[in-house]
Amino acid sequence: MAVRYELIKTCRQTGARLGRLHTPHGVIDTPAFMPVGTQATVKAVSPEELKALGAQIILSNTYHLFIRPGHELIREAGGLHRFMNWDRAILTDSGGFQVFSLADRRKIREEGVEFRSHLDGSLLFLSPEKATEVQNALGADIIMCFDECAPYPADYEYVRESTARTSRWAERCLKAHRRPDDQALFGIVQGGMYPDLRRQSAKDLTSLDFPGYAIGGLSVGEPKPVMYELLETTVPLLPDRKPRYLMGVGSPDALIEGSIRGIDMFDCVLPTRIARNGTVMTSRGRLVIRNAAYERDFGPLDPACDCYTCTHYSRAYIRHLIKADEIFGLRLTTIHNLHFLGSLMARIRQAIREDRLADFRDEFFESYGMARHKSGF
Amino acid sequence: MAVRYELIKTCRQTGARLGRLHTPHGVIDTPAFMPVGTQATVKAVSPEELKALGAQIILSNTYHLFIRPGHELIREAGGLHRFMNWDRAILTDSGGFQVFSLADRRKIREEGVEFRSHLDGSLLFLSPEKATEVQNALGADIIMCFDECAPYPADYEYVRESTARTSRWAERCLKAHRRPDDQALFGIVQGGMYPDLRRQSAKDLTSLDFPGYAIGGLSVGEPKPVMYELLETTVPLLPDRKPRYLMGVGSPDALIEGSIRGIDMFDCVLPTRIARNGTVMTSRGRLVIRNAAYERDFGPLDPACDCYTCTHYSRAYIRHLIKADEIFGLRLTTIHNLHFLGSLMARIRQAIREDRLADFRDEFFESYGMARHKSGF
C-alpha cells in the first residue's frame, strides 16, 4: 500500500478531520497544504528551506515535466525525488488541468487529448495510459487520474459528457498503473457546478476503490459559496478511510472552509505566485509591498510572524528588492507566504484537536479582515 | 582607525602578500575576492549563504543605492549593514565608475558630474563631496574616492587631465569625509594605459596618506598583459603597510596574476553575472550548462567541487532549471561560482604561505585550460 490514511479525530464543532497520511517518503499531517513545484522546483526556494518551513509534501506538474525535460530523462535521473533533491513526499497531477488550461489547439477524443505544446507548438498526446506512464516514470508518492477539468461556466450537457468520460478514463488509469505498491493513484471527482453530476461522479469513482480521492473542477471562477455547497454535496459520498484532496485551492479562507467540510489536502500556486508579485499574506490580511506606504517602514512584513523573512528583514528592504527586480526579494516573500500557510494549517489542525475549528475560523476571519461565509457550521 | 592592514608574509617565489585586513565588521583574509551586491543584495543568494561560502566582505554600489532606494532611507534604516542583514564588512564604490558607464548625458565639470538616472532620466549630480556624503550615510567599512574612470582607448591628453582632476577630487573627498574613525576612505590610482600618468597618480594619491589604495581604470578592455605591466609599474609605488585593491577584476587568471603582483583585494560581477547566464567556472575551465551535451549528464557541475550545488544537484537538473528560467537555477550556479572563486583565493593564500604561488599559477592554468601569461615571475 503506497499510502495509508490514518484518521486521528474529527472536530466535534465542524466535522473537520485530523489525520496522518503515511507515504513511502514520510508522514503528512493533515489537513495539509502542498506548495507547488511546477517544473521540479518550488519557485525561488530550496528543498532545505521548504523543510524548514515544515512542508511534508509538494506537488509537481506532469504536463510541464512531460514537455520539459521529459519523463524519460527524470526516470534516468532516478526519479523526481532524486532529480530535484527532495526526499519527502511528492504528488504529481495528471496533466489534465494544464492540457485544458495551457496547451494550444487541443482535440478531445475518447482515446485522449491531442494538443500543441505551449512552449514550442509541437504536437503532443496525453491519454489515461500515457499520463499514468509518465507519472510512473516520475515516481511521485501520489499520482492522479487523467481527467478533464470542464470550463466554467459550461452547460449541463457538456459537463455530463465530460464527467462520464473522466470516469471512463479513471478506469483506464487504474488498469495502466504499473507501480501501485509505491505510488497511490487517486481518482478525481468532477461534475462542474451540477450537484447531481458531482454525485454521479463520486459514485463512479468510489466504485473503483481508489486509495484516495480528489475533488477537481472547483475554484475555477465560481463564487466561493457555490464551491462550499458542492463540497457539502460531494465529501459525504467519499469513504471515511481515504484521504480527500481539494485541487487548486490555497486562499486562507478556503483552506479553513475546506477543512471544515472534511478536506485533508490542498494545493495552489497562489502563495508563491502572489509572492513574486510582491503581495504577502499577514495576520491582518494581504499587503502589497510595492505600495509607497511601506517605503520607510522598517518593521517586518507581519509583526505576528516568526519566519526567516520577518525576523531578519524590513518592509522597506523587501519593497526595495521587489522594486529593483532582485531575486532575493522573491525568495523572501515566497518564504513568508509559504510560512503563513504552513502555520495556518498547523493552527487548523490544533483547532480540530481542540474541537473549536468554527471558533478559530471566526477569529481568523475577523483578524484577516474577511467577511465570514454564512454556513451551517 | 577604521581598517588596519596586517602583512603576514610575502611569497618568496613571487612577492605576493598574505595578510589580514581588520575592519569594524571583522577580519578579511587577503588576497580576497569581494562578491558584488550592487543593489544591497548579492543577486540570488542570502547573507547566510554568502557566509557559508566564506565571504568576509562584499561590495555594494553607491550609484545604484543613491538612485534607489536613496542613501537617506538607508541611513534611517540604521545603515547598509542593518538594511541588508549583513554583519560582515562592506566596501562601497564611489559611484564614479557607474556615472561614466551607466548614466546618460553626463557633463563633467571640475565641481562634479551632472547626469541623468539610467532608471527614470531624472537629473542628478555627484561630486567628491556628495559621493562621500552618500557613502557616509551608507556606512560601509571601506569607502572610495569619487574618481573618473577614463574610457578605453583614450588619448594621452584626455587621460592626463582626467587623472589630474581625479587627484584633486581625492583631496576633496578626504576633506569631506565625516566618519574617518569607522570608515576607511581609499584613494584610487588612475592614469589609463600610460605608465607615466599611473606613476604621477600614485605619487599624488600617496602624498594624501589614505588608509588604502585602489587601482582603477584597468580591466576596461585592454589586453591582459597590458594590465599586468601597469600593475608592475604601479604597485611598487604604493606603501607596503596599506592594502591594495584592484577594481573590477574577477577572472581566475587575473586573480592569480594580480595576487602575484601584490594585490590584496579584488571585486567583479563576473562570477555572479555569468552564473545567471548559465556559465560556471570549474577546475577544468568554463562550462556552459545550456549546451545539449549536458542534457542527460547526471554528474555534478565540477567533480572536484564540494559546494552545496555540486554535492546535491546534477548538470542535467541545473540545465533544466536554467532552460526553464527557474530562479533556483540561478541560485545554484551563483553559489557554485562564488564558491569556486572563494576556494581559488584560499588556494592562492595557501600557495603564498608555502612560497609557491608561481607553481600554483602554472598548475591552475594547465588544469583550467589556459595559456600561461608570459611574465617575469
Side-chain angles (χ1 to χ4, degrees):
Chain A
M1 189 71 175
V3 306
R4 182 173 61 83
Y5 175 72
E6 175 193 357
L7 176 63
I8 297 173
K9 72 159 286 183
T10 301
C11 172
R12 272 175 284 171
Q13 202 176 45
T14 63
R17 290 148 46 108
L18 184 72
R20 280 194 205 100
L21 195 60
H22 300 264
T23 81
H25 289 87
V27 173
I28 298 129
D29 297 306
T30 61
F33 174 77
M34 304 183 280
V36 177
T38 295
Q39 304 191 104
T41 169
V42 175
K43 289 186 196 301
V45 294
S46 70
E48 291 76 12
E49 283 165 341
L50 284 170
K51 287 183 184 181
L53 289 164
Q56 297 171 315
I57 180 168
I58 60 170
L59 179 145
S60 199
N61 291 114
T62 290
Y63 169 87
H64 291 84
L65 298 177
F66 172 59
I67 291 183
R68 182 175 59 193
H71 59 293
E72 289 296 351
L73 186 150
I74 292 178
R75 191 209 302 269
E76 284 171 45
L80 186 54
H81 290 88
R82 192 158 158 194
F83 185 58
M84 68 181 291
N85 183 35
W86 176 253
D87 58 11
R88 294 191 180 175
I90 301 177
L91 181 151
T92 45
D93 63 7
S94 66
F97 182 78
Q98 283 74 25
V99 165
F100 293 98
S101 63
L102 275 183
D104 294 329
R105 282 176 290 168
R106 58 189 164 271
K107 287 182 198 156
I108 310 171
R109 299 194 306 262
E110 184 64 25
E111 173 61 16
V113 186
E114 198 181 89
F115 60 97
R116 298 272 173 184
S117 159
H118 73 293
L119 290 181
D120 63 4
S122 59
L123 190 64
L124 297 165
F125 182 73
L126 275 177
S127 63
E129 290 75 17
K130 186 71 190 177
T132 306
E133 179 203 328
V134 171
Q135 292 184 88
N136 284 166
L138 298 176
D141 302 270
I142 300 172
I143 66 177
M144 304 300 298
C145 284
F146 189 69
D147 63 332
E148 180 185 354
C149 177
Y152 174 82
D155 65 44
Y156 184 86
E157 203 46 37
Y158 181 90
V159 179
R160 193 187 61 75
E161 283 179 26
S162 162
T163 304
R165 186 169 51 231
T166 286
S167 293
R168 293 190 296 273
W169 283 358
E171 200 166 352
R172 286 166 53 191
C173 288
L174 206 52
K175 280 187 192 136
H177 186 23
R178 293 287 165 269
R179 297 174 60 179
D181 290 344
D182 62 344
Q183 295 187 290
L185 173 66
F186 281 23
I188 304 178
V189 176
Q190 289 286 355
M193 305 301 147
Y194 303 102
D196 67 313
L197 297 182
R198 287 275 162 192
R199 278 190 288 269
Q200 182 62 46
S201 179
K203 192 177 159 195
D204 294 347
L205 272 292
T206 53
S207 75
L208 296 171
D209 195 26
F210 286 98
Y213 295 91
I215 300 175
L218 293 180
S219 198
V220 289
E222 78 283 8
K224 279 180 177 167
V226 171
M227 172 167 85
Y228 299 150
E229 280 179 34
L230 286 165
L231 288 181
E232 289 161 26
T233 301
T234 311
V235 173
L237 305 175
L238 302 177
D240 271 352
R241 300 280 154 174
K242 306 284 177 70
R244 304 153 178 174
Y245 159 31
L246 177 56
M247 306 183 85
V249 162
S251 64
D253 52 328
L255 292 172
I256 298 173
E257 297 288 1
S259 297
I260 283 175
R261 288 161 180 82
I263 297 296
D264 308 303
M265 305 161 69
F266 304 87
D267 82 284
C268 194
V269 295
L270 179 90
T272 42
R273 180 171 291 167
I274 68 173
R276 296 195 307 282
N277 290 325
T279 299
V280 292
M281 304 177 192
T282 79
S283 54
R284 296 286 161 188
R286 286 199 192 183
L287 183 154
V288 178
I289 197 65
R290 284 175 180 273
N291 287 351
Y294 307 119
E295 185 176 9
R296 290 178 136 75
D297 185 336
F298 300 111
L301 289 178
D302 185 352
C305 180
D306 60 357
C307 80
Y308 169 72
T309 303
C310 288
T311 50
H312 292 83
Y313 302 93
S314 66
R315 291 175 174 180
Y317 181 63
I318 296 164
R319 179 176 187 273
H320 162 67
L321 294 180
I322 295 283
K323 285 183 68 81
D325 290 327
E326 282 288 354
I327 291 169
F328 192 51
L330 311 181
R331 188 166 155 188
L332 292 179
T333 52
T334 299
I335 285 173
H336 172 81
N337 278 355
L338 287 179
H339 178 273
F340 183 84
L341 288 195
S343 154
L344 173 62
M345 298 316 293
R347 290 157 73 201
I348 289 173
R349 292 193 297 269
Q350 184 59 26
I352 297 173
R353 202 171 281 120
E354 296 170 358
D355 295 308
R356 58 181 303 280
L357 185 55
D359 294 344
F360 171 77
R361 183 252 321 265
D362 295 346
E363 293 156 14
F364 180 88
F365 279 21
E366 190 177 324
S367 162
Y368 205 72
M370 268 181 158
R372 176 172 171 276
H373 167 63
K374 297 272 178 277
S375 80
F377 297 100
Chain B
M1 190 71 175
V3 306
R4 182 173 61 83
Y5 175 71
E6 175 192 357
L7 177 63
I8 298 173
K9 73 158 285 181
T10 301
C11 173
R12 273 175 284 173
Q13 201 176 45
T14 63
R17 291 146 47 106
L18 185 72
R20 280 194 204 101
L21 194 61
H22 300 264
T23 80
H25 289 86
V27 173
I28 297 129
D29 297 306
T30 62
F33 174 78
M34 303 183 281
V36 177
T38 294
Q39 304 191 106
T41 170
V42 176
K43 290 188 196 297
V45 293
S46 70
E48 291 76 13
E49 282 165 343
L50 285 169
K51 287 184 184 181
L53 289 164
Q56 296 170 316
I57 180 168
I58 60 170
L59 179 146
S60 199
N61 291 115
T62 290
Y63 169 88
H64 291 84
L65 297 177
F66 172 58
I67 292 183
R68 182 176 59 193
H71 59 293
E72 289 297 351
L73 186 150
I74 292 177
R75 190 209 302 269
E76 284 172 45
L80 186 54
H81 290 88
R82 193 158 158 195
F83 185 57
M84 68 182 290
N85 183 36
W86 176 253
D87 58 10
R88 295 192 180 175
I90 302 176
L91 181 151
T92 46
D93 63 6
S94 66
F97 181 79
Q98 282 74 25
V99 165
F100 293 97
S101 63
L102 275 184
D104 294 330
R105 282 176 290 167
R106 57 189 164 270
K107 287 180 197 157
I108 309 172
R109 300 192 307 261
E110 184 63 26
E111 173 61 17
V113 187
E114 198 181 271
F115 59 96
R116 298 271 174 184
S117 158
H118 73 293
L119 290 181
D120 63 5
S122 59
L123 190 65
L124 297 166
F125 182 72
L126 275 178
S127 63
E129 291 76 17
K130 187 69 190 179
T132 307
E133 179 203 328
V134 172
Q135 291 183 89
N136 283 165
L138 297 176
D141 302 87
I142 300 173
I143 67 177
M144 303 301 296
C145 284
F146 188 69
D147 63 332
E148 180 184 354
C149 177
Y152 174 82
D155 65 43
Y156 184 86
E157 204 45 39
Y158 182 90
V159 178
R160 194 187 61 76
E161 282 179 27
S162 162
T163 304
R165 187 170 49 233
T166 286
S167 292
R168 293 190 296 275
W169 283 358
E171 202 168 349
R172 285 166 55 190
C173 289
L174 206 52
K175 280 188 191 135
H177 186 21
R178 293 285 164 271
R179 296 175 60 180
D181 290 344
D182 63 342
Q183 295 187 290
L185 174 66
F186 280 23
I188 304 177
V189 176
Q190 289 287 354
M193 305 302 148
Y194 303 103
D196 67 313
L197 297 181
R198 287 273 163 194
R199 279 190 287 268
Q200 182 61 47
S201 178
K203 193 178 158 194
D204 295 347
L205 272 292
T206 53
S207 74
L208 296 171
D209 195 26
F210 286 99
Y213 295 91
I215 299 175
L218 293 181
S219 197
V220 291
E222 79 282 9
K224 277 181 177 168
V226 171
M227 173 167 86
Y228 300 150
E229 280 180 33
L230 287 165
L231 288 181
E232 290 161 25
T233 301
T234 311
V235 172
L237 305 174
L238 301 176
D240 272 353
R241 299 280 155 175
K242 306 285 177 70
R244 304 153 179 173
Y245 159 31
L246 177 56
M247 305 183 84
V249 163
S251 63
D253 52 329
L255 292 172
I256 298 172
E257 297 287 2
S259 297
I260 283 175
R261 287 160 181 83
I263 297 296
D264 308 303
M265 304 160 69
F266 304 86
D267 83 283
C268 194
V269 295
L270 179 90
T272 42
R273 181 170 291 167
I274 67 174
R276 297 195 307 281
N277 289 325
T279 299
V280 292
M281 305 176 193
T282 79
S283 54
R284 296 285 161 189
R286 286 199 192 182
L287 183 153
V288 178
I289 197 64
R290 284 174 180 274
N291 286 352
Y294 308 119
E295 185 175 10
R296 291 177 134 74
D297 184 336
F298 300 112
L301 289 179
D302 185 352
C305 180
D306 61 357
C307 80
Y308 169 72
T309 303
C310 288
T311 50
H312 292 82
Y313 302 93
S314 65
R315 291 174 174 180
Y317 180 64
I318 296 164
R319 178 177 187 273
H320 162 66
L321 293 181
I322 295 283
K323 285 183 69 80
D325 289 327
E326 282 288 354
I327 291 169
F328 192 51
L330 311 182
R331 189 165 155 188
L332 291 178
T333 53
T334 299
I335 286 173
H336 172 80
N337 278 355
L338 287 178
H339 178 272
F340 183 84
L341 288 195
S343 154
L344 173 62
M345 298 315 293
R347 289 157 74 200
I348 289 173
R349 291 193 297 270
Q350 184 60 26
I352 298 173
R353 202 171 281 121
E354 296 169 359
D355 295 308
R356 57 181 305 279
L357 185 55
D359 293 345
F360 171 76
R361 183 253 319 267
D362 295 346
E363 293 156 16
F364 180 87
F365 280 21
E366 190 177 323
S367 162
Y368 205 72
M370 268 182 159
R372 177 172 171 277
H373 166 63
K374 296 272 178 276
S375 79
F377 299 99

